[in-house]
Amino acid sequence: MSTSTLYRLQPQALTPRQLQEELNATAEIALLDVREHGLYTRGHLLLAANAPLWRLNLLIGDLVPRLSTRIVLTDEDGSLLEQAASRLINLGYRNLALLSGGTQAWRQAGLEIFIDENVPSKALGEVVEIQAHTPNITVEELRQRQANGEKLVIVDGRTPEEFDNFSLPGAHNVPNGELPYRIRELAPDPETLVVVNCAGRTRSIIGAQTLIDAGLPNRVAALTNGTMAWLLADQPLNKGRRTRLPQPGAQHLSAAREQAHQLTQQAGLTILDASALAALRVNPARTLYQFDTRTHDEYQAGHLPGFRWAPGGQLVQATDHFAAVRGARIVLADWDGVRARHTAVWLQRLGGFEVYLYQPAPDAELEQGPSTPRILQDAALTPAPEITPQQLQPLLERQAAQVIDVDNSLHFIRRHIAGARFIAPHRLLEWLPRLAAADAPQQWVLTSKDGVLARLIASALQSYAFNAAALSGGNQAWFAAGLPTVGGDEDILTGEEDRQRNGYSVSDPVRRNRLFRNYLEWEIGLVRQLGRPGGELRFNLPQQEEQQQSTVNAYPR
Protein backbone atom coordinates (compact mmCIF):
# COMPACT_ATOMS: atom_id res chain seq x y z
CA MET A 1 0.00 0.00 0.00
CA SER A 2 1.43 3.39 -1.02
CA THR A 3 2.12 6.27 1.35
CA SER A 4 -0.58 8.37 -0.34
CA THR A 5 -3.11 5.58 0.09
CA LEU A 6 -2.22 5.21 3.77
CA TYR A 7 -2.65 8.94 4.23
CA ARG A 8 -6.13 8.85 2.73
CA LEU A 9 -7.10 6.02 5.08
CA GLN A 10 -6.11 7.90 8.23
CA PRO A 11 -9.36 8.57 10.15
CA GLN A 12 -10.29 12.20 10.60
CA ALA A 13 -10.78 13.48 14.17
CA LEU A 14 -14.04 15.37 14.70
CA THR A 15 -15.20 17.65 17.48
CA PRO A 16 -18.79 17.28 18.70
CA ARG A 17 -19.82 20.42 16.81
CA GLN A 18 -18.22 19.18 13.59
CA LEU A 19 -20.06 15.86 13.95
CA GLN A 20 -23.31 17.70 14.60
CA GLU A 21 -22.83 19.60 11.34
CA GLU A 22 -22.25 16.36 9.43
CA LEU A 23 -25.33 14.75 10.95
CA ASN A 24 -27.47 17.73 9.99
CA ALA A 25 -26.23 17.67 6.38
CA THR A 26 -27.88 15.68 3.60
CA ALA A 27 -24.94 13.43 2.68
CA GLU A 28 -24.93 9.76 3.66
CA ILE A 29 -23.37 9.04 7.05
CA ALA A 30 -23.19 6.11 9.46
CA LEU A 31 -22.57 6.93 13.12
CA LEU A 32 -21.43 3.76 14.90
CA ASP A 33 -20.98 3.27 18.64
CA VAL A 34 -18.49 0.42 19.07
CA ARG A 35 -19.16 -0.43 22.73
CA GLU A 36 -20.89 -3.63 23.78
CA HIS A 37 -24.67 -3.31 23.65
CA GLY A 38 -25.29 -3.04 27.39
CA LEU A 39 -22.78 -0.20 27.73
CA TYR A 40 -24.22 1.50 24.65
CA THR A 41 -27.74 1.52 26.11
CA ARG A 42 -26.55 3.36 29.22
CA GLY A 43 -25.92 6.52 27.22
CA HIS A 44 -25.26 7.25 23.52
CA LEU A 45 -25.80 9.77 20.75
CA LEU A 46 -29.32 9.83 19.33
CA LEU A 47 -28.43 8.65 15.82
CA ALA A 48 -25.68 6.21 16.79
CA ALA A 49 -26.23 2.62 15.71
CA ASN A 50 -24.58 -0.03 17.86
CA ALA A 51 -21.78 -2.08 16.24
CA PRO A 52 -19.58 -3.52 19.01
CA LEU A 53 -15.86 -3.64 18.25
CA TRP A 54 -15.46 -7.40 18.66
CA ARG A 55 -18.60 -8.09 16.61
CA LEU A 56 -17.79 -5.76 13.69
CA ASN A 57 -16.97 -8.53 11.19
CA LEU A 58 -20.37 -10.08 11.82
CA LEU A 59 -22.45 -6.88 11.68
CA ILE A 60 -20.81 -4.26 9.51
CA GLY A 61 -21.41 -5.88 6.11
CA ASP A 62 -25.17 -5.56 6.55
CA LEU A 63 -25.23 -2.33 8.56
CA VAL A 64 -22.93 -0.44 6.16
CA PRO A 65 -22.78 -2.39 2.89
CA ARG A 66 -20.95 0.27 0.82
CA LEU A 67 -17.23 0.43 1.62
CA SER A 68 -16.84 4.13 0.74
CA THR A 69 -19.65 5.28 3.05
CA ARG A 70 -18.76 8.03 5.49
CA ILE A 71 -18.46 6.31 8.89
CA VAL A 72 -18.00 8.16 12.17
CA LEU A 73 -17.00 6.05 15.17
CA THR A 74 -17.77 6.80 18.79
CA ASP A 75 -17.59 5.06 22.17
CA GLU A 76 -17.56 6.17 25.80
CA ASP A 77 -14.31 8.15 25.93
CA GLY A 78 -12.44 7.58 22.66
CA SER A 79 -10.33 4.69 23.93
CA LEU A 80 -11.71 2.10 21.47
CA LEU A 81 -11.81 4.22 18.35
CA GLU A 82 -8.38 3.67 16.82
CA GLN A 83 -8.69 -0.10 17.23
CA ALA A 84 -12.15 -0.06 15.67
CA ALA A 85 -10.92 2.11 12.79
CA SER A 86 -8.01 -0.27 12.18
CA ARG A 87 -10.39 -3.22 11.94
CA LEU A 88 -12.66 -1.39 9.52
CA ILE A 89 -9.70 -0.39 7.34
CA ASN A 90 -8.63 -4.05 7.23
CA LEU A 91 -12.16 -4.91 6.09
CA GLY A 92 -11.97 -2.40 3.24
CA TYR A 93 -13.67 0.73 4.60
CA ARG A 94 -11.87 3.92 3.63
CA ASN A 95 -13.88 6.99 4.69
CA LEU A 96 -13.58 7.00 8.48
CA ALA A 97 -13.74 9.64 11.18
CA LEU A 98 -13.54 9.48 14.97
CA LEU A 99 -15.49 11.54 17.51
CA SER A 100 -12.66 12.87 19.70
CA GLY A 101 -13.40 11.98 23.31
CA GLY A 102 -16.42 9.88 22.38
CA THR A 103 -19.76 10.20 24.12
CA GLN A 104 -18.20 11.97 27.08
CA ALA A 105 -17.05 14.81 24.84
CA TRP A 106 -20.51 15.08 23.27
CA ARG A 107 -22.04 15.36 26.74
CA GLN A 108 -19.46 17.90 27.88
CA ALA A 109 -20.30 20.01 24.83
CA GLY A 110 -23.83 20.35 26.20
CA LEU A 111 -25.38 17.97 23.71
CA GLU A 112 -28.11 15.47 24.55
CA ILE A 113 -27.40 11.84 25.47
CA PHE A 114 -30.00 9.07 25.14
CA ILE A 115 -30.26 5.79 27.00
CA ASP A 116 -31.86 2.51 25.84
CA GLU A 117 -32.01 1.27 22.23
CA ASN A 118 -33.96 1.97 19.01
CA VAL A 119 -34.46 5.51 20.25
CA PRO A 120 -35.50 7.20 16.96
CA SER A 121 -38.23 4.59 16.45
CA LYS A 122 -39.43 4.88 20.03
CA ALA A 123 -39.44 8.65 19.79
CA LEU A 124 -41.55 8.34 16.63
CA GLY A 125 -44.15 6.36 18.57
CA GLU A 126 -44.37 9.02 21.27
CA VAL A 127 -44.74 11.83 18.74
CA VAL A 128 -47.37 9.88 16.78
CA GLU A 129 -49.45 9.32 19.90
CA ILE A 130 -49.43 13.04 20.64
CA GLN A 131 -50.02 14.35 17.13
CA ALA A 132 -52.48 11.68 15.94
CA HIS A 133 -54.22 11.26 19.30
CA THR A 134 -53.85 7.50 18.89
CA PRO A 135 -56.51 5.99 21.19
CA ASN A 136 -55.41 3.99 24.19
CA ILE A 137 -57.00 1.81 26.82
CA THR A 138 -55.70 1.12 30.32
CA VAL A 139 -55.33 -2.32 31.86
CA GLU A 140 -58.20 -1.55 34.23
CA GLU A 141 -60.50 -0.55 31.36
CA LEU A 142 -59.55 -3.60 29.33
CA ARG A 143 -60.18 -5.99 32.20
CA GLN A 144 -63.54 -4.37 32.92
CA ARG A 145 -64.63 -4.74 29.30
CA GLN A 146 -63.51 -8.36 29.35
CA ALA A 147 -65.50 -8.95 32.53
CA ASN A 148 -68.54 -7.36 30.90
CA GLY A 149 -68.29 -9.79 27.98
CA GLU A 150 -67.82 -7.06 25.39
CA LYS A 151 -66.67 -7.93 21.91
CA LEU A 152 -62.92 -7.40 21.74
CA VAL A 153 -59.78 -8.99 20.41
CA ILE A 154 -56.25 -8.46 21.71
CA VAL A 155 -53.40 -8.59 19.19
CA ASP A 156 -49.76 -8.59 20.25
CA GLY A 157 -47.59 -6.78 17.70
CA ARG A 158 -44.26 -8.29 18.77
CA THR A 159 -42.27 -11.10 17.17
CA PRO A 160 -43.26 -14.77 17.68
CA GLU A 161 -40.15 -15.30 19.80
CA GLU A 162 -41.08 -12.45 22.13
CA PHE A 163 -44.69 -13.64 22.30
CA ASP A 164 -43.48 -17.12 23.26
CA ASN A 165 -41.58 -15.63 26.22
CA PHE A 166 -44.72 -14.03 27.66
CA SER A 167 -48.11 -12.81 26.46
CA LEU A 168 -51.46 -11.53 27.68
CA PRO A 169 -54.04 -14.25 28.31
CA GLY A 170 -56.16 -14.70 25.19
CA ALA A 171 -53.99 -12.51 22.96
CA HIS A 172 -53.26 -13.33 19.32
CA ASN A 173 -49.72 -12.84 18.05
CA VAL A 174 -49.88 -10.74 14.87
CA PRO A 175 -46.60 -8.84 14.42
CA ASN A 176 -47.13 -5.20 13.50
CA GLY A 177 -46.04 -5.68 9.91
CA GLU A 178 -48.73 -8.34 9.48
CA LEU A 179 -51.57 -6.44 11.18
CA PRO A 180 -53.11 -4.59 8.21
CA TYR A 181 -52.84 -7.75 6.11
CA ARG A 182 -54.52 -10.15 8.55
CA ILE A 183 -56.55 -8.27 11.17
CA ARG A 184 -59.88 -8.45 9.35
CA GLU A 185 -59.90 -12.23 9.80
CA LEU A 186 -59.63 -11.89 13.59
CA ALA A 187 -62.11 -9.03 13.88
CA PRO A 188 -64.60 -9.34 10.99
CA ASP A 189 -67.37 -7.73 13.04
CA PRO A 190 -66.96 -3.92 12.98
CA GLU A 191 -68.42 -3.81 16.50
CA THR A 192 -65.40 -5.70 17.86
CA LEU A 193 -62.89 -3.55 19.71
CA VAL A 194 -59.28 -4.25 18.64
CA VAL A 195 -56.63 -3.74 21.33
CA VAL A 196 -52.97 -3.74 20.27
CA ASN A 197 -50.32 -4.49 22.86
CA CYS A 198 -46.56 -4.94 23.10
CA ALA A 199 -44.04 -5.17 25.94
CA GLY A 200 -43.99 -1.41 26.47
CA ARG A 201 -45.34 1.44 24.38
CA THR A 202 -43.99 1.84 20.85
CA ARG A 203 -45.38 -1.15 19.01
CA SER A 204 -48.75 -0.76 20.74
CA ILE A 205 -48.99 2.81 19.46
CA ILE A 206 -47.60 2.14 15.98
CA GLY A 207 -49.71 -1.01 15.63
CA ALA A 208 -52.92 0.75 16.60
CA GLN A 209 -52.19 3.67 14.31
CA THR A 210 -51.39 1.24 11.50
CA LEU A 211 -54.87 -0.25 11.77
CA ILE A 212 -56.39 3.22 11.78
CA ASP A 213 -54.39 4.08 8.67
CA ALA A 214 -55.56 0.78 7.15
CA GLY A 215 -59.17 1.99 7.31
CA LEU A 216 -60.32 -0.72 9.70
CA PRO A 217 -63.95 0.08 10.59
CA ASN A 218 -63.51 -1.26 14.12
CA ARG A 219 -62.64 0.82 17.14
CA VAL A 220 -58.91 0.49 17.81
CA ALA A 221 -56.87 1.20 20.93
CA ALA A 222 -53.30 0.74 22.11
CA LEU A 223 -52.91 -0.90 25.52
CA THR A 224 -51.36 1.82 27.63
CA ASN A 225 -47.81 0.77 28.59
CA GLY A 226 -48.36 -2.78 27.33
CA THR A 227 -47.46 -5.84 29.37
CA MET A 228 -45.44 -3.66 31.73
CA ALA A 229 -48.71 -2.11 32.89
CA TRP A 230 -50.27 -5.58 33.06
CA LEU A 231 -47.56 -6.77 35.45
CA LEU A 232 -47.64 -3.51 37.41
CA ALA A 233 -51.34 -4.23 37.96
CA ASP A 234 -50.31 -7.63 39.39
CA GLN A 235 -51.90 -9.58 36.55
CA PRO A 236 -50.40 -12.88 35.31
CA LEU A 237 -48.88 -13.45 31.88
CA ASN A 238 -48.93 -16.63 29.85
CA LYS A 239 -45.68 -18.28 28.70
CA GLY A 240 -44.81 -20.65 25.90
CA ARG A 241 -47.74 -19.81 23.61
CA ARG A 242 -47.79 -19.66 19.83
CA THR A 243 -50.80 -18.62 17.77
CA ARG A 244 -51.42 -19.22 14.08
CA LEU A 245 -51.45 -16.29 11.70
CA PRO A 246 -54.82 -16.16 9.89
CA GLN A 247 -54.76 -16.10 6.11
CA PRO A 248 -56.63 -13.13 4.62
CA GLY A 249 -59.76 -13.95 2.63
CA ALA A 250 -60.33 -12.51 -0.83
CA GLN A 251 -62.79 -9.81 0.27
CA HIS A 252 -60.71 -8.68 3.23
CA LEU A 253 -57.51 -8.72 1.15
CA SER A 254 -59.13 -6.54 -1.48
CA ALA A 255 -60.13 -3.99 1.16
CA ALA A 256 -56.65 -4.03 2.66
CA ARG A 257 -55.04 -3.51 -0.75
CA GLU A 258 -57.30 -0.63 -1.65
CA GLN A 259 -56.53 1.21 1.58
CA ALA A 260 -52.79 0.49 1.27
CA HIS A 261 -52.86 1.81 -2.29
CA GLN A 262 -54.46 5.06 -1.13
CA LEU A 263 -51.97 5.37 1.71
CA THR A 264 -49.06 4.88 -0.68
CA GLN A 265 -50.40 7.58 -2.99
CA GLN A 266 -50.94 10.01 -0.12
CA ALA A 267 -47.37 9.42 1.04
CA GLY A 268 -46.00 9.99 -2.47
CA LEU A 269 -44.00 6.76 -2.45
CA THR A 270 -42.34 5.66 -5.68
CA ILE A 271 -42.86 2.15 -7.03
CA LEU A 272 -39.78 1.10 -8.99
CA ASP A 273 -39.77 -0.98 -12.12
CA ALA A 274 -37.03 -3.50 -12.85
CA SER A 275 -34.83 -1.05 -14.75
CA ALA A 276 -35.06 1.59 -12.02
CA LEU A 277 -34.10 -0.97 -9.36
CA ALA A 278 -31.19 -2.14 -11.50
CA ALA A 279 -29.96 1.47 -11.75
CA LEU A 280 -30.03 1.86 -7.97
CA ARG A 281 -28.10 -1.37 -7.54
CA VAL A 282 -25.18 -0.30 -9.74
CA ASN A 283 -24.84 3.24 -8.37
CA PRO A 284 -21.48 3.21 -6.51
CA ALA A 285 -22.09 6.58 -4.86
CA ARG A 286 -25.17 5.61 -2.85
CA THR A 287 -26.01 2.96 -0.26
CA LEU A 288 -28.87 0.62 -1.08
CA TYR A 289 -30.74 -1.63 1.36
CA GLN A 290 -33.16 -4.24 -0.04
CA PHE A 291 -35.60 -5.83 2.38
CA ASP A 292 -38.33 -8.48 2.27
CA THR A 293 -40.84 -7.77 5.04
CA ARG A 294 -42.94 -10.95 4.92
CA THR A 295 -42.88 -13.77 7.47
CA HIS A 296 -39.76 -15.88 7.84
CA ASP A 297 -41.48 -18.94 6.34
CA GLU A 298 -42.53 -16.96 3.27
CA TYR A 299 -39.06 -15.53 2.87
CA GLN A 300 -37.42 -18.94 3.07
CA ALA A 301 -39.87 -20.40 0.55
CA GLY A 302 -38.73 -17.89 -2.08
CA HIS A 303 -37.25 -14.40 -2.14
CA LEU A 304 -35.57 -12.08 -4.60
CA PRO A 305 -31.76 -12.35 -4.78
CA GLY A 306 -30.08 -9.64 -2.75
CA PHE A 307 -33.10 -8.97 -0.51
CA ARG A 308 -32.58 -9.52 3.22
CA TRP A 309 -35.33 -10.62 5.56
CA ALA A 310 -36.58 -7.82 7.81
CA PRO A 311 -40.11 -8.34 9.19
CA GLY A 312 -42.00 -5.10 8.69
CA GLY A 313 -42.84 -4.44 12.32
CA GLN A 314 -39.24 -4.88 13.42
CA LEU A 315 -37.87 -2.82 10.55
CA VAL A 316 -39.88 0.12 11.90
CA GLN A 317 -39.28 -0.69 15.58
CA ALA A 318 -35.52 -1.31 15.30
CA THR A 319 -34.49 0.39 12.07
CA ASP A 320 -30.96 0.99 13.35
CA HIS A 321 -30.47 -2.78 13.70
CA PHE A 322 -30.98 -3.18 9.95
CA ALA A 323 -29.80 0.07 8.33
CA ALA A 324 -27.11 2.25 9.89
CA VAL A 325 -26.53 4.68 7.01
CA ARG A 326 -28.60 7.84 7.31
CA GLY A 327 -29.54 9.17 3.89
CA ALA A 328 -29.40 5.73 2.27
CA ARG A 329 -31.99 4.25 -0.06
CA ILE A 330 -34.32 1.48 1.12
CA VAL A 331 -36.28 -0.72 -1.28
CA LEU A 332 -39.02 -3.02 0.02
CA ALA A 333 -40.30 -5.97 -2.00
CA ASP A 334 -44.07 -5.52 -2.32
CA TRP A 335 -45.50 -9.03 -2.77
CA ASP A 336 -49.13 -8.52 -1.78
CA GLY A 337 -49.90 -4.81 -2.04
CA VAL A 338 -50.34 -4.41 1.72
CA ARG A 339 -47.52 -5.26 4.10
CA ALA A 340 -44.53 -3.62 2.43
CA ARG A 341 -46.62 -0.53 1.69
CA HIS A 342 -47.52 0.11 5.31
CA THR A 343 -43.92 -0.52 6.35
CA ALA A 344 -42.67 1.89 3.68
CA VAL A 345 -45.05 4.60 4.89
CA TRP A 346 -43.76 4.25 8.44
CA LEU A 347 -40.14 4.34 7.31
CA GLN A 348 -40.87 7.50 5.38
CA ARG A 349 -42.48 9.02 8.47
CA LEU A 350 -39.45 8.06 10.53
CA GLY A 351 -37.24 10.02 8.14
CA GLY A 352 -33.57 9.71 7.35
CA PHE A 353 -33.94 7.45 4.30
CA GLU A 354 -35.20 7.46 0.73
CA VAL A 355 -37.86 4.74 0.66
CA TYR A 356 -39.09 2.87 -2.43
CA LEU A 357 -41.29 -0.09 -3.28
CA TYR A 358 -40.64 -2.81 -5.84
CA GLN A 359 -43.27 -5.28 -7.07
CA PRO A 360 -41.68 -8.59 -8.11
CA ALA A 361 -42.75 -10.01 -11.43
CA PRO A 362 -44.82 -13.22 -11.31
CA ASP A 363 -42.01 -15.10 -13.04
CA ALA A 364 -39.18 -13.49 -11.04
CA GLU A 365 -36.16 -15.67 -10.33
CA LEU A 366 -36.19 -16.57 -6.63
CA GLU A 367 -33.78 -17.95 -4.08
CA GLN A 368 -34.74 -20.20 -1.19
CA GLY A 369 -33.43 -20.48 2.34
CA PRO A 370 -32.87 -18.24 5.34
CA SER A 371 -31.40 -14.77 5.41
CA THR A 372 -27.71 -14.98 6.33
CA PRO A 373 -25.42 -12.16 7.48
CA ARG A 374 -22.87 -10.74 5.08
CA ILE A 375 -19.73 -11.55 7.05
CA LEU A 376 -16.56 -9.67 6.14
CA GLN A 377 -13.25 -11.46 6.59
CA ASP A 378 -10.07 -9.77 7.76
CA ALA A 379 -7.37 -11.18 5.49
CA ALA A 380 -4.71 -10.27 8.03
CA LEU A 381 -6.10 -12.77 10.57
CA THR A 382 -5.41 -16.49 10.68
CA PRO A 383 -8.58 -18.63 10.73
CA ALA A 384 -9.12 -20.18 14.14
CA PRO A 385 -9.19 -23.95 14.56
CA GLU A 386 -12.60 -25.51 15.20
CA ILE A 387 -13.57 -28.35 17.47
CA THR A 388 -16.73 -30.44 17.34
CA PRO A 389 -18.98 -31.04 20.36
CA GLN A 390 -17.93 -34.70 20.36
CA GLN A 391 -14.26 -33.71 20.48
CA LEU A 392 -14.84 -31.10 23.16
CA GLN A 393 -16.75 -33.30 25.59
CA PRO A 394 -13.79 -35.55 26.64
CA LEU A 395 -11.57 -32.46 26.97
CA LEU A 396 -14.05 -30.97 29.43
CA GLU A 397 -14.23 -34.22 31.37
CA ARG A 398 -10.42 -34.13 31.76
CA GLN A 399 -10.54 -30.39 32.57
CA ALA A 400 -8.24 -29.84 29.61
CA ALA A 401 -10.38 -27.10 28.08
CA GLN A 402 -12.41 -24.12 29.24
CA VAL A 403 -15.49 -23.06 27.29
CA ILE A 404 -16.07 -19.32 27.03
CA ASP A 405 -19.47 -18.16 25.75
CA VAL A 406 -19.15 -14.77 24.03
CA ASP A 407 -22.63 -14.27 22.60
CA ASN A 408 -25.49 -13.16 24.88
CA SER A 409 -25.54 -13.32 28.66
CA LEU A 410 -29.34 -13.51 28.82
CA HIS A 411 -29.31 -16.59 26.62
CA PHE A 412 -26.49 -17.93 28.80
CA ILE A 413 -28.70 -17.59 31.88
CA ARG A 414 -31.46 -19.58 30.23
CA ARG A 415 -29.22 -22.41 29.05
CA HIS A 416 -25.53 -22.96 28.44
CA ILE A 417 -22.87 -25.64 28.12
CA ALA A 418 -22.12 -27.18 31.52
CA GLY A 419 -18.92 -25.71 32.88
CA ALA A 420 -18.90 -22.74 30.49
CA ARG A 421 -18.21 -19.19 31.57
CA PHE A 422 -19.59 -16.07 29.95
CA ILE A 423 -17.30 -13.15 29.05
CA ALA A 424 -18.47 -10.21 26.94
CA PRO A 425 -16.03 -10.05 24.00
CA HIS A 426 -14.55 -6.66 24.88
CA ARG A 427 -13.30 -8.05 28.20
CA LEU A 428 -11.61 -11.20 26.88
CA LEU A 429 -8.10 -9.71 26.85
CA GLU A 430 -8.54 -8.86 30.51
CA TRP A 431 -10.20 -12.05 31.72
CA LEU A 432 -8.35 -14.80 29.87
CA PRO A 433 -4.98 -14.06 31.54
CA ARG A 434 -6.71 -13.88 34.93
CA LEU A 435 -8.35 -17.26 34.41
CA ALA A 436 -5.11 -18.77 33.13
CA ALA A 437 -3.27 -17.56 36.24
CA ALA A 438 -5.91 -19.07 38.51
CA ASP A 439 -6.19 -22.43 36.70
CA ALA A 440 -3.82 -24.78 34.95
CA PRO A 441 -2.97 -23.70 31.37
CA GLN A 442 -5.64 -25.06 29.04
CA GLN A 443 -7.29 -24.83 25.67
CA TRP A 444 -9.75 -21.95 25.29
CA VAL A 445 -12.85 -22.93 23.31
CA LEU A 446 -15.16 -20.09 22.36
CA THR A 447 -18.84 -20.64 21.66
CA SER A 448 -21.78 -18.58 20.48
CA LYS A 449 -25.32 -19.27 19.28
CA ASP A 450 -24.32 -20.92 16.01
CA GLY A 451 -20.53 -20.72 16.25
CA VAL A 452 -20.08 -17.92 13.71
CA LEU A 453 -19.30 -15.13 16.19
CA ALA A 454 -17.10 -17.50 18.21
CA ARG A 455 -15.08 -18.36 15.11
CA LEU A 456 -14.51 -14.69 14.25
CA ILE A 457 -13.45 -13.77 17.78
CA ALA A 458 -11.23 -16.82 18.18
CA SER A 459 -9.47 -15.80 14.98
CA ALA A 460 -8.90 -12.30 16.37
CA LEU A 461 -7.52 -13.76 19.61
CA GLN A 462 -4.84 -15.63 17.66
CA SER A 463 -3.12 -12.30 17.06
CA TYR A 464 -2.88 -11.83 20.84
CA ALA A 465 -1.15 -15.21 21.25
CA PHE A 466 -4.12 -16.94 22.86
CA ASN A 467 -4.61 -20.63 22.08
CA ALA A 468 -8.26 -20.21 21.13
CA ALA A 469 -10.49 -22.53 19.14
CA ALA A 470 -14.17 -22.22 18.22
CA LEU A 471 -16.90 -24.74 18.87
CA SER A 472 -18.14 -25.88 15.48
CA GLY A 473 -21.87 -25.15 15.25
CA GLY A 474 -21.78 -23.39 18.61
CA ASN A 475 -24.38 -23.88 21.31
CA GLN A 476 -26.94 -25.09 18.80
CA ALA A 477 -24.74 -28.06 17.87
CA TRP A 478 -24.00 -28.85 21.52
CA PHE A 479 -27.69 -28.74 22.47
CA ALA A 480 -28.67 -30.83 19.44
CA ALA A 481 -26.12 -33.48 20.47
CA GLY A 482 -27.83 -33.82 23.85
CA LEU A 483 -24.66 -32.98 25.77
CA PRO A 484 -24.75 -31.58 29.34
CA THR A 485 -26.25 -28.12 29.84
CA VAL A 486 -27.21 -25.97 32.80
CA GLY A 487 -28.76 -22.56 33.42
CA GLY A 488 -28.11 -19.64 35.75
CA ASP A 489 -25.92 -16.56 36.02
CA GLU A 490 -23.21 -17.78 38.43
CA ASP A 491 -20.55 -17.99 35.73
CA ILE A 492 -21.19 -14.64 34.05
CA LEU A 493 -17.97 -12.66 34.57
CA THR A 494 -18.97 -9.37 32.93
CA GLY A 495 -22.41 -8.62 34.32
CA GLU A 496 -24.85 -7.02 31.91
CA GLU A 497 -22.27 -5.20 29.82
CA ASP A 498 -23.30 -7.07 26.67
CA ARG A 499 -27.05 -6.51 27.00
CA GLN A 500 -29.63 -3.96 27.99
CA ARG A 501 -30.87 -3.81 31.58
CA ASN A 502 -34.40 -5.12 31.34
CA GLY A 503 -37.10 -5.44 33.96
CA TYR A 504 -38.41 -8.58 32.27
CA SER A 505 -35.22 -10.45 33.14
CA VAL A 506 -35.50 -9.58 36.86
CA SER A 507 -37.10 -12.14 39.18
CA ASP A 508 -37.64 -9.79 42.13
CA PRO A 509 -41.03 -8.11 41.49
CA VAL A 510 -40.15 -4.99 43.51
CA ARG A 511 -37.00 -4.33 41.47
CA ARG A 512 -38.79 -5.33 38.26
CA ASN A 513 -41.60 -2.85 38.87
CA ARG A 514 -39.12 -0.09 39.67
CA LEU A 515 -37.32 -0.74 36.40
CA PHE A 516 -40.64 -0.73 34.53
CA ARG A 517 -41.68 2.62 36.00
CA ASN A 518 -38.28 4.15 35.25
CA TYR A 519 -38.43 2.90 31.68
CA LEU A 520 -41.95 4.20 31.05
CA GLU A 521 -41.09 7.58 32.53
CA TRP A 522 -38.07 7.76 30.25
CA GLU A 523 -39.97 6.75 27.11
CA ILE A 524 -42.78 9.23 27.67
CA GLY A 525 -40.14 11.90 28.29
CA LEU A 526 -38.42 11.29 24.94
CA VAL A 527 -40.37 14.10 23.29
CA ARG A 528 -38.81 16.62 25.68
CA GLN A 529 -35.34 15.30 24.89
CA LEU A 530 -35.90 15.84 21.18
CA GLY A 531 -36.23 19.56 21.83
CA ARG A 532 -32.73 19.89 23.27
CA PRO A 533 -29.41 20.44 21.42
CA GLY A 534 -28.14 17.11 20.12
CA GLY A 535 -31.66 15.69 20.11
CA GLU A 536 -32.77 17.05 16.76
CA LEU A 537 -34.82 14.56 14.76
CA ARG A 538 -37.07 15.33 11.81
CA PHE A 539 -40.14 13.14 11.34
CA ASN A 540 -42.41 13.30 8.29
CA LEU A 541 -45.87 12.95 9.79
CA PRO A 542 -48.97 13.76 7.71
CA GLN A 543 -50.93 16.80 8.77
CA GLN A 544 -54.26 15.11 8.09
CA GLU A 545 -53.56 12.19 10.45
CA GLU A 546 -55.15 13.89 13.48
CA GLN A 547 -58.39 14.62 11.59
CA GLN A 548 -58.61 11.06 10.28
CA GLN A 549 -58.14 9.71 13.76
CA SER A 550 -60.73 11.90 15.43
CA THR A 551 -63.47 11.25 12.86
CA VAL A 552 -62.99 7.58 12.00
CA ASN A 553 -61.67 5.78 15.04
CA ALA A 554 -62.38 7.97 18.04
CA TYR A 555 -62.22 5.87 21.19
CA PRO A 556 -63.35 7.16 24.60
CA ARG A 557 -60.51 7.40 27.09
Side-chain angles (χ1 to χ4, degrees), residues 4 87-88 147 196 258 305 310 381 433 451:
S4 60
R87 292 200 180 187
L88 289 177
V196 184
E258 176 60 29
L381 297 178

Side-chain angles (χ1 to χ4, degrees), residues 243-254:
T243 60
R244 185 181 61 85
L245 285 174
Q247 292 299 318
Q251 183 177 355
H252 289 160
L253 180 56
S254 177

